[in-house]
mmCIF file of all heavy atoms in Angstrom:
data_model
loop_
_atom_site.group_PDB
_atom_site.id
_atom_site.type_symbol
_atom_site.label_atom_id
_atom_site.label_comp_id
_atom_site.label_asym_id
_atom_site.label_seq_id
_atom_site.Cartn_x
_atom_site.Cartn_y
_atom_site.Cartn_z
ATOM 1 N N HIS A 1 50.624 -43.918 -120.253
ATOM 2 C CA HIS A 1 50.349 -42.506 -120.166
ATOM 3 C C HIS A 1 50.581 -41.913 -118.820
ATOM 4 O O HIS A 1 51.250 -40.839 -118.583
ATOM 5 C CB HIS A 1 48.889 -42.158 -120.493
ATOM 6 C CG HIS A 1 48.609 -42.133 -121.978
ATOM 7 N ND1 HIS A 1 48.630 -43.138 -122.868
ATOM 8 C CD2 HIS A 1 48.414 -41.034 -122.696
ATOM 9 C CE1 HIS A 1 48.366 -42.631 -124.047
ATOM 10 N NE2 HIS A 1 48.167 -41.370 -123.919
ATOM 11 N N VAL A 2 50.321 -42.633 -117.701
ATOM 12 C CA VAL A 2 50.567 -42.081 -116.387
ATOM 13 C C VAL A 2 52.023 -42.055 -116.160
ATOM 14 O O VAL A 2 52.612 -41.110 -115.624
ATOM 15 C CB VAL A 2 49.950 -43.077 -115.393
ATOM 16 C CG1 VAL A 2 50.321 -42.778 -113.932
ATOM 17 C CG2 VAL A 2 48.416 -42.990 -115.498
ATOM 18 N N ARG A 3 52.921 -43.076 -116.583
ATOM 19 C CA ARG A 3 54.296 -43.147 -116.429
ATOM 20 C C ARG A 3 54.950 -41.892 -117.146
ATOM 21 O O ARG A 3 55.840 -41.270 -116.720
ATOM 22 C CB ARG A 3 54.919 -44.409 -116.838
ATOM 23 C CG ARG A 3 54.525 -45.516 -115.980
ATOM 24 C CD ARG A 3 55.537 -45.839 -114.837
ATOM 25 N NE ARG A 3 55.092 -46.800 -113.929
ATOM 26 C CZ ARG A 3 55.185 -48.178 -114.146
ATOM 27 N NH1 ARG A 3 55.705 -48.606 -115.197
ATOM 28 N NH2 ARG A 3 54.658 -48.978 -113.155
ATOM 29 N N TYR A 4 54.286 -41.491 -118.240
ATOM 30 C CA TYR A 4 54.889 -40.495 -119.090
ATOM 31 C C TYR A 4 54.382 -39.102 -118.691
ATOM 32 O O TYR A 4 55.241 -38.144 -118.532
ATOM 33 C CB TYR A 4 54.567 -40.762 -120.508
ATOM 34 C CG TYR A 4 55.248 -39.817 -121.583
ATOM 35 C CD1 TYR A 4 56.549 -40.010 -121.934
ATOM 36 C CD2 TYR A 4 54.545 -38.727 -122.054
ATOM 37 C CE1 TYR A 4 57.174 -39.055 -122.902
ATOM 38 C CE2 TYR A 4 55.183 -37.807 -122.980
ATOM 39 C CZ TYR A 4 56.428 -38.038 -123.266
ATOM 40 O OH TYR A 4 57.105 -37.176 -124.171
ATOM 41 N N LEU A 5 53.188 -38.908 -118.532
ATOM 42 C CA LEU A 5 52.554 -37.594 -118.125
ATOM 43 C C LEU A 5 52.734 -37.208 -116.722
ATOM 44 O O LEU A 5 52.691 -36.053 -116.345
ATOM 45 C CB LEU A 5 51.068 -37.569 -118.527
ATOM 46 C CG LEU A 5 50.724 -37.708 -120.079
ATOM 47 C CD1 LEU A 5 49.254 -37.824 -120.348
ATOM 48 C CD2 LEU A 5 51.361 -36.569 -120.877
ATOM 49 N N LYS A 6 52.775 -38.275 -115.901
ATOM 50 C CA LYS A 6 53.033 -38.138 -114.387
ATOM 51 C C LYS A 6 51.881 -37.513 -113.623
ATOM 52 O O LYS A 6 51.190 -38.107 -112.845
ATOM 53 C CB LYS A 6 54.416 -37.453 -114.145
ATOM 54 C CG LYS A 6 55.561 -38.104 -114.640
ATOM 55 C CD LYS A 6 56.872 -37.305 -114.267
ATOM 56 C CE LYS A 6 58.120 -38.075 -114.583
ATOM 57 N NZ LYS A 6 58.176 -38.663 -115.881
ATOM 58 N N ASP A 7 51.712 -36.220 -113.813
ATOM 59 C CA ASP A 7 50.668 -35.446 -113.151
ATOM 60 C C ASP A 7 50.293 -34.269 -113.855
ATOM 61 O O ASP A 7 50.705 -34.043 -115.012
ATOM 62 C CB ASP A 7 51.070 -35.133 -111.674
ATOM 63 C CG ASP A 7 52.346 -34.337 -111.742
ATOM 64 O OD1 ASP A 7 52.645 -33.539 -112.647
ATOM 65 O OD2 ASP A 7 53.259 -34.495 -110.632
ATOM 66 N N LYS A 8 49.451 -33.404 -113.298
ATOM 67 C CA LYS A 8 48.833 -32.265 -113.881
ATOM 68 C C LYS A 8 49.956 -31.299 -114.184
ATOM 69 O O LYS A 8 50.104 -30.718 -115.387
ATOM 70 C CB LYS A 8 47.785 -31.663 -113.117
ATOM 71 C CG LYS A 8 47.138 -30.348 -113.647
ATOM 72 C CD LYS A 8 46.060 -29.769 -112.780
ATOM 73 C CE LYS A 8 45.440 -28.656 -113.424
ATOM 74 N NZ LYS A 8 44.221 -28.128 -112.683
ATOM 75 N N GLN A 9 50.842 -31.010 -113.299
ATOM 76 C CA GLN A 9 51.895 -30.026 -113.504
ATOM 77 C C GLN A 9 52.825 -30.417 -114.553
ATOM 78 O O GLN A 9 53.244 -29.621 -115.452
ATOM 79 C CB GLN A 9 52.599 -29.746 -112.240
ATOM 80 C CG GLN A 9 51.772 -28.961 -111.249
ATOM 81 C CD GLN A 9 51.299 -27.607 -111.789
ATOM 82 O OE1 GLN A 9 52.005 -26.874 -112.307
ATOM 83 N NE2 GLN A 9 50.014 -27.442 -111.568
ATOM 84 N N HIS A 10 53.293 -31.682 -114.607
ATOM 85 C CA HIS A 10 54.155 -32.154 -115.651
ATOM 86 C C HIS A 10 53.424 -32.131 -117.070
ATOM 87 O O HIS A 10 54.081 -31.771 -118.023
ATOM 88 C CB HIS A 10 54.500 -33.700 -115.364
ATOM 89 C CG HIS A 10 55.608 -34.150 -116.124
ATOM 90 N ND1 HIS A 10 55.453 -34.875 -117.226
ATOM 91 C CD2 HIS A 10 57.032 -33.974 -116.000
ATOM 92 C CE1 HIS A 10 56.616 -35.158 -117.829
ATOM 93 N NE2 HIS A 10 57.597 -34.604 -117.038
ATOM 94 N N THR A 11 52.162 -32.379 -117.093
ATOM 95 C CA THR A 11 51.337 -32.247 -118.318
ATOM 96 C C THR A 11 51.225 -30.883 -118.780
ATOM 97 O O THR A 11 51.361 -30.590 -120.045
ATOM 98 C CB THR A 11 49.968 -32.889 -118.090
ATOM 99 O OG1 THR A 11 50.116 -34.288 -117.533
ATOM 100 C CG2 THR A 11 49.244 -33.023 -119.407
ATOM 101 N N LEU A 12 51.065 -29.963 -117.968
ATOM 102 C CA LEU A 12 50.948 -28.545 -118.226
ATOM 103 C C LEU A 12 52.384 -28.122 -118.867
ATOM 104 O O LEU A 12 52.271 -27.296 -119.860
ATOM 105 C CB LEU A 12 50.583 -27.702 -117.103
ATOM 106 C CG LEU A 12 49.170 -27.717 -116.549
ATOM 107 C CD1 LEU A 12 49.005 -26.949 -115.260
ATOM 108 C CD2 LEU A 12 48.171 -27.296 -117.667
ATOM 109 N N ALA A 13 53.366 -28.592 -118.380
ATOM 110 C CA ALA A 13 54.720 -28.334 -118.994
ATOM 111 C C ALA A 13 54.782 -28.730 -120.427
ATOM 112 O O ALA A 13 55.346 -28.099 -121.280
ATOM 113 C CB ALA A 13 55.795 -28.819 -118.157
ATOM 114 N N LEU A 14 54.204 -29.997 -120.731
ATOM 115 C CA LEU A 14 54.122 -30.542 -122.007
ATOM 116 C C LEU A 14 53.319 -29.770 -122.926
ATOM 117 O O LEU A 14 53.586 -29.411 -124.116
ATOM 118 C CB LEU A 14 53.647 -31.890 -122.027
ATOM 119 C CG LEU A 14 53.366 -32.625 -123.332
ATOM 120 C CD1 LEU A 14 54.523 -32.700 -124.256
ATOM 121 C CD2 LEU A 14 52.737 -33.969 -123.077
ATOM 122 N N MET A 15 52.126 -29.193 -122.417
ATOM 123 C CA MET A 15 51.211 -28.389 -123.176
ATOM 124 C C MET A 15 51.838 -27.053 -123.595
ATOM 125 O O MET A 15 51.460 -26.440 -124.505
ATOM 126 C CB MET A 15 49.786 -28.121 -122.300
ATOM 127 C CG MET A 15 49.146 -29.374 -122.076
ATOM 128 S SD MET A 15 48.914 -30.468 -123.481
ATOM 129 C CE MET A 15 47.706 -29.456 -124.469
ATOM 130 N N LYS A 16 52.688 -26.557 -122.824
ATOM 131 C CA LYS A 16 53.507 -25.397 -123.125
ATOM 132 C C LYS A 16 54.392 -25.623 -124.430
ATOM 133 O O LYS A 16 54.453 -24.720 -125.263
ATOM 134 C CB LYS A 16 54.525 -24.875 -122.028
ATOM 135 C CG LYS A 16 53.814 -24.196 -120.804
ATOM 136 C CD LYS A 16 53.454 -22.789 -121.227
ATOM 137 C CE LYS A 16 52.999 -21.955 -119.993
ATOM 138 N NZ LYS A 16 52.550 -20.582 -120.354
ATOM 139 N N ARG A 17 54.851 -26.823 -124.571
ATOM 140 C CA ARG A 17 55.629 -27.201 -125.758
ATOM 141 C C ARG A 17 54.683 -27.323 -126.995
ATOM 142 O O ARG A 17 55.023 -26.957 -128.121
ATOM 143 C CB ARG A 17 56.418 -28.461 -125.546
ATOM 144 C CG ARG A 17 57.324 -28.366 -124.526
ATOM 145 C CD ARG A 17 58.052 -29.737 -124.223
ATOM 146 N NE ARG A 17 58.720 -30.270 -125.228
ATOM 147 C CZ ARG A 17 59.166 -31.575 -125.310
ATOM 148 N NH1 ARG A 17 58.765 -32.309 -124.353
ATOM 149 N NH2 ARG A 17 59.836 -32.012 -126.411
ATOM 150 N N HIS A 18 53.430 -27.888 -126.740
ATOM 151 C CA HIS A 18 52.382 -27.865 -127.796
ATOM 152 C C HIS A 18 52.132 -26.391 -128.200
ATOM 153 O O HIS A 18 51.886 -26.136 -129.404
ATOM 154 C CB HIS A 18 51.192 -28.462 -127.338
ATOM 155 C CG HIS A 18 51.142 -29.928 -127.299
ATOM 156 N ND1 HIS A 18 50.874 -30.821 -128.489
ATOM 157 C CD2 HIS A 18 51.359 -31.027 -126.408
ATOM 158 C CE1 HIS A 18 50.974 -31.919 -128.263
ATOM 159 N NE2 HIS A 18 51.221 -32.135 -126.988
ATOM 160 N N ALA A 19 52.041 -25.455 -127.293
ATOM 161 C CA ALA A 19 51.614 -24.069 -127.517
ATOM 162 C C ALA A 19 52.626 -23.473 -128.446
ATOM 163 O O ALA A 19 52.265 -22.655 -129.233
ATOM 164 C CB ALA A 19 51.495 -23.332 -126.279
ATOM 165 N N VAL A 20 53.876 -23.805 -128.340
ATOM 166 C CA VAL A 20 54.892 -23.159 -129.250
ATOM 167 C C VAL A 20 54.648 -23.572 -130.563
ATOM 168 O O VAL A 20 54.896 -22.843 -131.502
ATOM 169 C CB VAL A 20 56.376 -23.631 -128.707
ATOM 170 C CG1 VAL A 20 57.378 -23.291 -129.783
ATOM 171 C CG2 VAL A 20 56.711 -23.195 -127.420
ATOM 172 N N ILE A 21 54.044 -24.722 -130.880
ATOM 173 C CA ILE A 21 53.807 -25.143 -132.176
ATOM 174 C C ILE A 21 52.396 -24.542 -132.705
ATOM 175 O O ILE A 21 52.271 -24.070 -133.832
ATOM 176 C CB ILE A 21 53.719 -26.738 -132.297
ATOM 177 C CG1 ILE A 21 55.066 -27.358 -131.998
ATOM 178 C CG2 ILE A 21 53.204 -27.180 -133.675
ATOM 179 C CD1 ILE A 21 55.012 -28.761 -131.753
ATOM 180 N N MET A 22 51.379 -24.452 -131.758
ATOM 181 C CA MET A 22 50.110 -24.139 -132.118
ATOM 182 C C MET A 22 49.894 -22.570 -132.327
ATOM 183 O O MET A 22 49.268 -22.117 -133.202
ATOM 184 C CB MET A 22 49.123 -24.569 -131.102
ATOM 185 C CG MET A 22 48.864 -26.079 -131.008
ATOM 186 S SD MET A 22 47.858 -26.642 -132.441
ATOM 187 C CE MET A 22 46.220 -26.050 -131.845
ATOM 188 N N ALA A 23 50.517 -21.824 -131.437
ATOM 189 C CA ALA A 23 50.354 -20.391 -131.355
ATOM 190 C C ALA A 23 50.569 -19.654 -132.733
ATOM 191 O O ALA A 23 49.819 -18.913 -133.226
ATOM 192 C CB ALA A 23 51.060 -19.715 -130.230
ATOM 193 N N PRO A 24 51.775 -20.068 -133.407
ATOM 194 C CA PRO A 24 52.032 -19.346 -134.758
ATOM 195 C C PRO A 24 50.920 -19.677 -135.780
ATOM 196 O O PRO A 24 50.719 -18.810 -136.689
ATOM 197 C CB PRO A 24 53.422 -19.940 -135.117
ATOM 198 C CG PRO A 24 54.022 -20.425 -133.817
ATOM 199 C CD PRO A 24 52.898 -20.838 -132.956
ATOM 200 N N LYS A 25 50.329 -20.841 -135.662
ATOM 201 C CA LYS A 25 49.376 -21.182 -136.722
ATOM 202 C C LYS A 25 47.989 -20.376 -136.440
ATOM 203 O O LYS A 25 47.440 -19.900 -137.398
ATOM 204 C CB LYS A 25 48.944 -22.675 -136.581
ATOM 205 C CG LYS A 25 50.299 -23.670 -136.832
ATOM 206 C CD LYS A 25 49.907 -25.100 -136.818
ATOM 207 C CE LYS A 25 51.108 -25.829 -137.123
ATOM 208 N NZ LYS A 25 50.766 -27.259 -137.321
ATOM 209 N N PHE A 26 47.708 -20.193 -135.211
ATOM 210 C CA PHE A 26 46.493 -19.259 -134.996
ATOM 211 C C PHE A 26 46.805 -17.828 -135.283
ATOM 212 O O PHE A 26 45.890 -17.069 -135.839
ATOM 213 C CB PHE A 26 45.988 -19.397 -133.578
ATOM 214 C CG PHE A 26 45.206 -20.586 -133.303
ATOM 215 C CD1 PHE A 26 45.767 -21.947 -133.095
ATOM 216 C CD2 PHE A 26 43.858 -20.450 -133.239
ATOM 217 C CE1 PHE A 26 44.846 -22.967 -132.939
ATOM 218 C CE2 PHE A 26 43.038 -21.551 -133.044
ATOM 219 C CZ PHE A 26 43.616 -22.908 -132.828
ATOM 220 N N ARG A 27 48.091 -17.414 -135.072
ATOM 221 C CA ARG A 27 48.457 -16.033 -135.397
ATOM 222 C C ARG A 27 48.360 -15.860 -137.043
ATOM 223 O O ARG A 27 47.900 -14.787 -137.497
ATOM 224 C CB ARG A 27 49.841 -15.759 -134.924
ATOM 225 C CG ARG A 27 49.905 -15.400 -133.531
ATOM 226 C CD ARG A 27 51.149 -14.661 -133.128
ATOM 227 N NE ARG A 27 52.300 -15.569 -133.309
ATOM 228 C CZ ARG A 27 52.867 -16.271 -132.333
ATOM 229 N NH1 ARG A 27 52.363 -16.374 -131.241
ATOM 230 N NH2 ARG A 27 53.967 -17.045 -132.690
ATOM 231 N N THR A 28 48.840 -16.942 -137.702
ATOM 232 C CA THR A 28 48.669 -16.840 -139.234
ATOM 233 C C THR A 28 47.234 -16.751 -139.664
ATOM 234 O O THR A 28 47.047 -15.924 -140.539
ATOM 235 C CB THR A 28 49.279 -18.147 -139.803
ATOM 236 O OG1 THR A 28 50.624 -18.241 -139.415
ATOM 237 C CG2 THR A 28 49.185 -18.247 -141.349
ATOM 238 N N VAL A 29 46.367 -17.521 -139.094
ATOM 239 C CA VAL A 29 44.940 -17.338 -139.417
ATOM 240 C C VAL A 29 44.386 -16.035 -139.167
ATOM 241 O O VAL A 29 43.732 -15.372 -140.116
ATOM 242 C CB VAL A 29 44.138 -18.453 -138.680
ATOM 243 C CG1 VAL A 29 42.621 -18.190 -138.790
ATOM 244 C CG2 VAL A 29 44.503 -19.893 -139.083
ATOM 245 N N LEU A 30 44.658 -15.596 -138.065
ATOM 246 C CA LEU A 30 44.121 -14.219 -137.648
ATOM 247 C C LEU A 30 44.735 -13.072 -138.463
ATOM 248 O O LEU A 30 44.025 -12.137 -138.796
ATOM 249 C CB LEU A 30 44.278 -13.999 -136.158
ATOM 250 C CG LEU A 30 43.505 -15.068 -135.266
ATOM 251 C CD1 LEU A 30 43.805 -14.822 -133.817
ATOM 252 C CD2 LEU A 30 42.024 -14.923 -135.507
ATOM 253 N N GLU A 31 45.996 -13.111 -138.726
ATOM 254 C CA GLU A 31 46.757 -12.141 -139.527
ATOM 255 C C GLU A 31 46.167 -12.058 -140.918
ATOM 256 O O GLU A 31 46.020 -11.004 -141.496
ATOM 257 C CB GLU A 31 48.220 -12.358 -139.519
ATOM 258 C CG GLU A 31 48.876 -12.041 -138.195
ATOM 259 C CD GLU A 31 50.362 -12.626 -138.194
ATOM 260 O OE1 GLU A 31 50.819 -13.234 -139.285
ATOM 261 O OE2 GLU A 31 51.001 -12.431 -137.155
ATOM 262 N N VAL A 32 45.897 -13.168 -141.543
ATOM 263 C CA VAL A 32 45.341 -13.097 -142.905
ATOM 264 C C VAL A 32 43.944 -12.500 -142.822
ATOM 265 O O VAL A 32 43.594 -11.733 -143.670
ATOM 266 C CB VAL A 32 45.344 -14.534 -143.568
ATOM 267 C CG1 VAL A 32 44.611 -14.593 -144.883
ATOM 268 C CG2 VAL A 32 46.765 -15.080 -143.759
ATOM 269 N N LEU A 33 43.113 -13.009 -141.837
ATOM 270 C CA LEU A 33 41.768 -12.527 -141.793
ATOM 271 C C LEU A 33 41.832 -10.916 -141.530
ATOM 272 O O LEU A 33 40.930 -10.306 -142.207
ATOM 273 C CB LEU A 33 41.051 -13.197 -140.657
ATOM 274 C CG LEU A 33 40.668 -14.620 -140.968
ATOM 275 C CD1 LEU A 33 40.082 -15.290 -139.747
ATOM 276 C CD2 LEU A 33 39.854 -14.795 -142.260
ATOM 277 N N GLU A 34 42.691 -10.519 -140.618
ATOM 278 C CA GLU A 34 42.634 -9.101 -140.415
ATOM 279 C C GLU A 34 43.091 -8.299 -141.605
ATOM 280 O O GLU A 34 42.623 -7.125 -141.921
ATOM 281 C CB GLU A 34 43.615 -8.886 -139.221
ATOM 282 C CG GLU A 34 43.211 -9.446 -137.878
ATOM 283 C CD GLU A 34 42.039 -8.602 -137.352
ATOM 284 O OE1 GLU A 34 41.768 -7.420 -137.794
ATOM 285 O OE2 GLU A 34 41.403 -9.044 -136.462
ATOM 286 N N ARG A 35 44.024 -8.803 -142.346
ATOM 287 C CA ARG A 35 44.624 -8.075 -143.492
ATOM 288 C C ARG A 35 43.725 -8.160 -144.708
ATOM 289 O O ARG A 35 43.478 -7.115 -145.356
ATOM 290 C CB ARG A 35 45.893 -8.706 -143.847
ATOM 291 C CG ARG A 35 46.707 -8.036 -144.998
ATOM 292 C CD ARG A 35 48.072 -8.622 -145.319
ATOM 293 N NE ARG A 35 47.963 -10.033 -145.713
ATOM 294 C CZ ARG A 35 48.422 -11.114 -145.037
ATOM 295 N NH1 ARG A 35 48.870 -10.874 -143.863
ATOM 296 N NH2 ARG A 35 48.263 -12.218 -145.603
ATOM 297 N N GLU A 36 43.081 -9.275 -145.024
ATOM 298 C CA GLU A 36 42.288 -9.470 -146.185
ATOM 299 C C GLU A 36 40.836 -9.365 -146.154
ATOM 300 O O GLU A 36 40.112 -8.889 -147.064
ATOM 301 C CB GLU A 36 42.633 -11.051 -146.755
ATOM 302 C CG GLU A 36 44.039 -11.239 -147.016
ATOM 303 C CD GLU A 36 44.570 -10.329 -148.349
ATOM 304 O OE1 GLU A 36 43.736 -10.087 -149.149
ATOM 305 O OE2 GLU A 36 45.754 -10.179 -148.425
ATOM 306 N N ILE A 37 40.248 -9.634 -144.858
ATOM 307 C CA ILE A 37 38.776 -9.507 -144.770
ATOM 308 C C ILE A 37 38.258 -8.386 -143.784
ATOM 309 O O ILE A 37 37.208 -7.858 -144.267
ATOM 310 C CB ILE A 37 38.249 -10.949 -144.219
ATOM 311 C CG1 ILE A 37 38.804 -12.129 -145.071
ATOM 312 C CG2 ILE A 37 36.834 -10.939 -144.118
ATOM 313 C CD1 ILE A 37 38.331 -12.027 -146.593
ATOM 314 N N ALA A 38 38.939 -8.189 -142.733
ATOM 315 C CA ALA A 38 38.456 -7.159 -141.762
ATOM 316 C C ALA A 38 38.112 -5.759 -142.543
ATOM 317 O O ALA A 38 36.984 -5.233 -142.241
ATOM 318 C CB ALA A 38 39.463 -6.974 -140.699
ATOM 319 N N PRO A 39 38.979 -5.237 -143.414
ATOM 320 C CA PRO A 39 38.557 -3.954 -143.987
ATOM 321 C C PRO A 39 37.386 -3.936 -144.891
ATOM 322 O O PRO A 39 36.715 -2.895 -145.170
ATOM 323 C CB PRO A 39 39.775 -3.654 -144.840
ATOM 324 C CG PRO A 39 40.962 -4.371 -144.320
ATOM 325 C CD PRO A 39 40.242 -5.635 -143.941
ATOM 326 N N LEU A 40 36.906 -5.187 -145.323
ATOM 327 C CA LEU A 40 35.800 -5.344 -146.259
ATOM 328 C C LEU A 40 34.467 -5.496 -145.465
ATOM 329 O O LEU A 40 33.265 -5.247 -146.079
ATOM 330 C CB LEU A 40 35.941 -6.531 -147.077
ATOM 331 C CG LEU A 40 37.209 -6.619 -148.014
ATOM 332 C CD1 LEU A 40 37.395 -7.804 -148.698
ATOM 333 C CD2 LEU A 40 37.148 -5.252 -148.895
ATOM 334 N N GLY A 41 34.521 -5.569 -144.175
ATOM 335 C CA GLY A 41 33.324 -5.481 -143.288
ATOM 336 C C GLY A 41 32.205 -6.550 -143.390
ATOM 337 O O GLY A 41 31.219 -6.222 -142.875
ATOM 338 N N PHE A 42 32.446 -7.653 -144.051
ATOM 339 C CA PHE A 42 31.387 -8.583 -144.191
ATOM 340 C C PHE A 42 31.459 -9.915 -143.354
ATOM 341 O O PHE A 42 30.595 -10.805 -143.507
ATOM 342 C CB PHE A 42 31.178 -9.051 -145.729
ATOM 343 C CG PHE A 42 32.362 -9.726 -146.275
ATOM 344 C CD1 PHE A 42 32.453 -11.140 -146.072
ATOM 345 C CD2 PHE A 42 33.193 -9.151 -147.093
ATOM 346 C CE1 PHE A 42 33.469 -11.921 -146.554
ATOM 347 C CE2 PHE A 42 34.357 -9.828 -147.564
ATOM 348 C CZ PHE A 42 34.512 -11.158 -147.365
ATOM 349 N N ALA A 43 32.496 -9.958 -142.521
ATOM 350 C CA ALA A 43 32.690 -11.204 -141.705
ATOM 351 C C ALA A 43 33.152 -10.741 -140.380
ATOM 352 O O ALA A 43 33.775 -9.669 -140.160
ATOM 353 C CB ALA A 43 33.654 -12.219 -142.314
ATOM 354 N N ARG A 44 32.931 -11.646 -139.390
ATOM 355 C CA ARG A 44 33.501 -11.434 -138.046
ATOM 356 C C ARG A 44 33.973 -12.849 -137.556
ATOM 357 O O ARG A 44 33.549 -13.925 -137.898
ATOM 358 C CB ARG A 44 32.511 -10.905 -137.029
ATOM 359 C CG ARG A 44 31.260 -11.655 -136.907
ATOM 360 C CD ARG A 44 30.158 -11.073 -136.097
ATOM 361 N NE ARG A 44 28.996 -11.782 -136.146
ATOM 362 C CZ ARG A 44 28.667 -12.809 -135.262
ATOM 363 N NH1 ARG A 44 29.640 -13.359 -134.618
ATOM 364 N NH2 ARG A 44 27.403 -13.419 -135.465
ATOM 365 N N TRP A 45 34.847 -12.885 -136.583
ATOM 366 C CA TRP A 45 35.428 -14.174 -136.117
ATOM 367 C C TRP A 45 35.916 -13.979 -134.724
ATOM 368 O O TRP A 45 36.139 -12.807 -134.174
ATOM 369 C CB TRP A 45 36.709 -14.600 -137.061
ATOM 370 C CG TRP A 45 37.623 -13.546 -137.318
ATOM 371 C CD1 TRP A 45 38.690 -13.207 -136.515
ATOM 372 C CD2 TRP A 45 37.594 -12.497 -138.256
ATOM 373 N NE1 TRP A 45 39.431 -12.113 -137.110
ATOM 374 C CE2 TRP A 45 38.722 -11.728 -138.104
ATOM 375 C CE3 TRP A 45 36.669 -12.298 -139.394
ATOM 376 C CZ2 TRP A 45 39.019 -10.625 -139.046
ATOM 377 C CZ3 TRP A 45 37.002 -11.336 -140.270
ATOM 378 C CH2 TRP A 45 38.148 -10.379 -140.072
ATOM 379 N N ASN A 46 36.075 -15.070 -134.040
ATOM 380 C CA ASN A 46 36.711 -15.054 -132.608
ATOM 381 C C ASN A 46 38.174 -15.063 -132.697
ATOM 382 O O ASN A 46 38.798 -15.429 -133.666
ATOM 383 C CB ASN A 46 36.115 -16.317 -131.805
ATOM 384 C CG ASN A 46 36.615 -17.595 -132.414
ATOM 385 O OD1 ASN A 46 36.944 -17.676 -133.641
ATOM 386 N ND2 ASN A 46 36.688 -18.607 -131.614
ATOM 387 N N ARG A 47 38.702 -14.787 -131.534
ATOM 388 C CA ARG A 47 40.160 -14.694 -131.339
ATOM 389 C C ARG A 47 40.597 -15.495 -130.148
ATOM 390 O O ARG A 47 40.899 -14.890 -129.082
ATOM 391 C CB ARG A 47 40.794 -13.294 -131.307
ATOM 392 C CG ARG A 47 40.366 -12.438 -132.529
ATOM 393 C CD ARG A 47 40.603 -10.997 -132.415
ATOM 394 N NE ARG A 47 40.350 -10.217 -133.693
ATOM 395 C CZ ARG A 47 39.321 -10.012 -134.230
ATOM 396 N NH1 ARG A 47 38.108 -10.409 -133.678
ATOM 397 N NH2 ARG A 47 39.177 -9.298 -135.443
#
């Protein structure tokens, strides 16, 4: 792990690549909730 991750800055660069995969999934969740549930007024969620 140390040889691969090297240090904090190198690891943060890797986490940016993770973010490219993760962000669209969270957007999908929030878009469905905003479209299907928000107008009905019976639930709330974090973003």
